[in-house]
Amino acid sequence: MSRGSGGGYDRHITIFSPEGRLFQVEYAFKAVKAAGVTSIGVRGKDSVCVVTQKKVPDKLLDHTSVTHLFPITKYLGLLATGMTADARTLVQQARYEAAEFRFKYGYEMPVDVLAKWIADKSQVYTQHAYMRPLGVVAMVLSIDEECGPRLFKCDPAGHFFGHKATSAGLKEQEAINFLEKKMKNDPAFTFQETVQTAISTLQSVLQEDFKASEIEVGVVSKENPEFRVLSIEEIDEHLTAISERD
Amino acid sequence: MGDSQYSFSLTTFSPSGKLVQIEHALTAVGSGQTSLGIKASNGVVIATEKKLPSILVDESSVHKIQSLTPNIGVVYSGMGPDFRVLVRKSRKQAEQYHRLYKEPIPVTQLVRETAAVMQEFTQSGGVRPFGVSLLVAGYDDKGPQLYQVDPSGSYFSWKASAMGKNVSNAKTFLEKRYVEEMELDDAVHTAILTLKEGFEGQISEKNIEIGIIGEKKEFRQY
């Protein structure tokens, strides 16, 4: 007679369930969806763009302090989808790591190294009982010196992949289906097309048209390799271009 | 390896004498993507399916087969993140050996140390076992070698082995096809055919990964 479901602990800490699953990790994924926000990332020929919803729950809140886009270094950006508090811890640690890397090795931390570091940290939380996994999916983007534009997504399970386009959050699956159709023939998007694809995917999946103040857009491009967040005017330009195009 | 509040092990014996967490870890391995390895007379080949969750994933960013030293490579079935941890620890151990003895680490030693790490995580406080089984392929002075390491930390040397979703079909296929003194090229062919047996969908160079080590003792992956 075996212990069956591990005394019910398998739902509280990250030990295996009888089917070989880690419930805590699966619940962490649900926590990312529970935040109610969807994010999109698209990689073009020489640029990368990430878009996320900006939900400000209270009119009294200072909306400039609500953000999910964080610069890690001048050239590395991170979009965190899920629990904001967990996101801030992750960003703090990532900034420290990136700065140490630059100091130790004399060159900027490449984006795949950062993605791997985030994923490895997440893996530790899935294996050690003393810390729960973070309820955050992180998308990191940058223009790599050797490989060009790169977009990586890291999840609470410790997986990380490079992506041509991806999504995270509430409507993740619908967005990925939409993007698969758009990216089927490996299109090489220009900067404008990259941004517009990202924004229009979000619009189509959430089935609503946005105002510029309701979304956040972060970009890196070969001409401008510094990670920057688009201003309201720039977002407005893209939104107008999309609606004219349709 | 024990952590503050968790000075007790999470992997404990059941009344029937089984370590249930390890069994669950093996279940996790069994639901992972199929991988296999074949030892030839003049080399070893390891191969795995590389099925990605979406066509949007950049397949060149995913490496399921990794080298631990220039002449030892490894593939896994099970949880990718756990695999990365083991690769990192094994590489460090190989380097430490080299620093001490000024010699590349023999395959058996590296396998033994990696297995010891996996065993630690089945006994220490506050941690769970690794959800991966490894196939370690290497070529050293003793010739070509292939080892399989399980989440429990036990390891065996194999002439050919498979793990993951399609393990029973793959092993039956390998048993039929394996010949003693097989050449490396034949082994590579057999490996690809075995993968094809259980493959859902069209097999192509983009959704499998192969690692080969021959007499020149240089591990190469494709």
Side-chain angles (χ1 to χ4, degrees), chain A residues 9-239:
Chain A
Y9 264 113
D10 50 4
R11 292 184 185 269
H12 297 282
I13 51 177
T14 53
I15 56 177
F16 284 112
S17 74
E19 305 87 46
R21 293 155 61 184
L22 293 172
F23 280 115
Q24 274 294 298
V25 176
E26 299 186 8
Y27 297 161
F29 277 97
K30 295 215 174 114
V32 173
K33 287 200 187 302
V37 161
T38 309
S39 313
I40 313 276
V42 178
R43 183 183 82 185
K45 196 172 53 163
D46 47 20
S47 57
V48 189
C49 171
V50 289
V51 180
T52 185
Q53 289 174 270
K54 186 165 165 166
K55 281 200 173 161
V56 186
D58 197 327
K59 280 211 213 42
L60 293 171
L61 274 175
D62 180 359
H63 66 94
T64 54
S65 72
V66 177
T67 177
H68 291 90
L69 282 172
F70 304 95
I72 305 295
T73 68
K74 254 200 314 191
Y75 306 102
L76 280 175
L78 188 150
L79 169 62
T81 315
M83 298 169 67
T84 339
D86 287 5
R88 286 192 196 275
T89 331
L90 185 61
V91 166
Q92 248 336 46
Q93 291 170 349
R95 284 175 173 163
Y96 177 79
E97 270 313 301
E100 253 219 67
F101 187 99
R102 174 68 184 80
F103 176 70
K104 263 207 274 190
Y105 301 111
Y107 70 102
E108 294 291 334
M109 191 177 207
V111 60
D112 54 334
V113 175
L114 178 66
K116 187 152 189 253
W117 180 84
I118 294 177
D120 285 345
K121 208 148 181 35
S122 310
Q123 191 281 339
V124 171
Y125 299 148
T126 73
Q127 194 164 27
H128 292 255
Y130 68 105
M131 293 272 265
R132 61 162 175 81
L134 292 176
V136 178
V137 166
M139 282 194 230
V140 276
L141 61 156
S142 173
I143 305 289
D144 188 85
E145 281 171 356
E146 296 171 5
C147 309
R150 300 194 96 184
L151 171 68
F152 280 85
K153 184 169 83 168
C154 319
D155 63 25
H159 287 115
F160 80 104
F161 294 116
H163 286 268
K164 302 169 196 169
T166 188
S167 165
L170 189 54
K171 301 266 178 186
E172 175 176 344
Q173 201 43 56
E174 291 96 329
I176 290 193
N177 295 341
F178 187 90
L179 286 166
E180 278 183 2
K181 285 189 223 129
K182 283 226 166 184
M183 308 285 284
K184 220 202 298 212
N185 303 316
D186 263 329
F189 288 137
T190 63
F191 176 67
Q192 303 291 341
E193 287 172 336
T194 313
V195 179
Q196 282 168 25
T197 309
I199 300 182
S200 58
T201 308
L202 195 59
Q203 279 185 338
S204 137
V205 153
L206 296 173
Q207 284 168 350
E208 56 180 84
D209 285 325
F210 296 116
K211 292 204 285 271
S213 56
E214 290 170 358
I215 57 174
E216 286 186 280
V217 183
V219 296
V220 286
S221 68
K222 276 215 178 119
E223 301 98 46
N224 226 339
E226 277 182 32
F227 174 72
R228 63 190 188 91
V229 178
L230 295 186
S231 66
I232 303 253
E233 294 82 30
E234 290 171 301
I235 301 180
D236 248 325
E237 272 176 37
H238 287 288
L239 283 170

Side-chain angles (χ1 to χ4, degrees), chain A residues 3 13-18 20 22 43 119-120 123 126-130 157-159 161-165 180 183, chain B residues 3 6 10 12 21 24-25 27-28 54-58 61-62 79 81-82 84-85 88 121 126-130:
Chain A
R3 259 168 88 208
I13 51 177
T14 53
I15 56 177
F16 284 112
S17 74
L22 293 172
R43 183 183 82 185
D120 285 345
Q123 191 281 339
T126 73
Q127 194 164 27
H128 292 255
Y130 68 105
H159 287 115
F161 294 116
H163 286 268
K164 302 169 196 169
E180 278 183 2
M183 308 285 284
Chain B
D3 300 296
Y6 283 91
L10 299 172
T12 55
Q21 275 295 300
H24 299 339
T27 318
S54 155
I55 57 161
L56 295 172
V57 174
D58 186 353
S61 75
V62 180
M79 303 167 72
D82 287 7
R84 286 202 311 272
V85 173
R88 174 171 285 173
F121 277 71
V127 291
R128 61 160 174 83
F130 285 98

Side-chain angles (χ1 to χ4, degrees), chain B residues 30 34 49 111 141 158 189 199 215:
Chain B
T34 314
E49 289 180 354
V111 168
D141 300 326
W158 291 79
H189 256 129
F199 207 86
E215 275 159 342

Side-chain angles (χ1 to χ4, degrees), chain B residues 115-170:
Chain B
V117 169
M118 292 172 83
Q119 191 282 337
E120 258 180 63
F121 277 71
T122 66
Q123 202 176 12
S124 303
V127 291
R128 61 160 174 83
F130 285 98
V132 284
S133 279
L134 304 175
L135 273 174
V136 183
Y139 201 128
D140 62 10
D141 300 326
K142 296 212 181 63
Q145 290 160 74
L146 178 68
Y147 286 91
Q148 179 173 337
V149 194
D150 286 330
S152 58
S154 58
Y155 62 94
F156 296 101
S157 175
W158 291 79
K159 299 175 196 171
S161 181
M163 348 182 270
K165 256 189 263 197
N166 208 28
V167 59
S168 41
N169 285 344

